[in-house]
Amino acid sequence: VSYVPVPLNAPAGGAGWRRPGGRRPEETRNGDLRAGVVANAPGSAYVQQGRTKIMATVYGPRQVLERGTGTAEGSLFLDLSFAPFASRSSSKEGNE
């Protein structure tokens, strides 16, 4: 059983209602998953669903600069960046 929300402006009962792109409420966008897409990274993946595209890479492990500040489980540091066209901000500082 799955729950599929129907917008308030859908026809009575929601029967026959379609999303603006033509999909029925229970249909998902087409997707694509690939692993190992960056040759010089120990781990990498590409995920696409609809017009959303994500590229992720993993490098490491690396030595922590300040010893003793982490836990036994380790630390995770992220460097997140967006393509300039994918941001609502028009300034360079807002995209970094």
Side-chain angles (χ1 to χ4, degrees):
V1 176
S2 63
Y3 168 74
V4 180
V6 177
L8 295 175
N9 61 354
W17 180 80
R18 297 220 177 227
R19 297 174 187 269
R23 291 181 293 123
R24 293 189 308 268
E26 68 274 8
E27 290 180 312
T28 61
R29 292 180 175 93
N30 291 331
D32 184 21
L33 302 169
R34 296 183 217 161
V37 293
V38 178
N40 64 343
S44 63
Y46 172 81
V47 180
Q48 179 178 347
Q49 187 166 15
R51 294 183 305 171
T52 302
K53 300 173 185 178
I54 300 170
M55 175 89 58
T57 57
V58 177
Y59 297 95
R62 295 183 180 149
Q63 288 291 333
V64 177
L65 296 177
E66 297 178 23
R67 291 186 175 261
T69 59
T71 64
E73 289 88 22
S75 299
L76 177 64
F77 298 95
L78 299 175
D79 182 13
L80 181 64
S81 59
F82 293 89
F85 60 83
S87 174
R88 293 181 186 203
S89 175
S90 60
S91 70
K92 183 175 185 202
E93 293 82 21
N95 290 334
E96 294 180 359

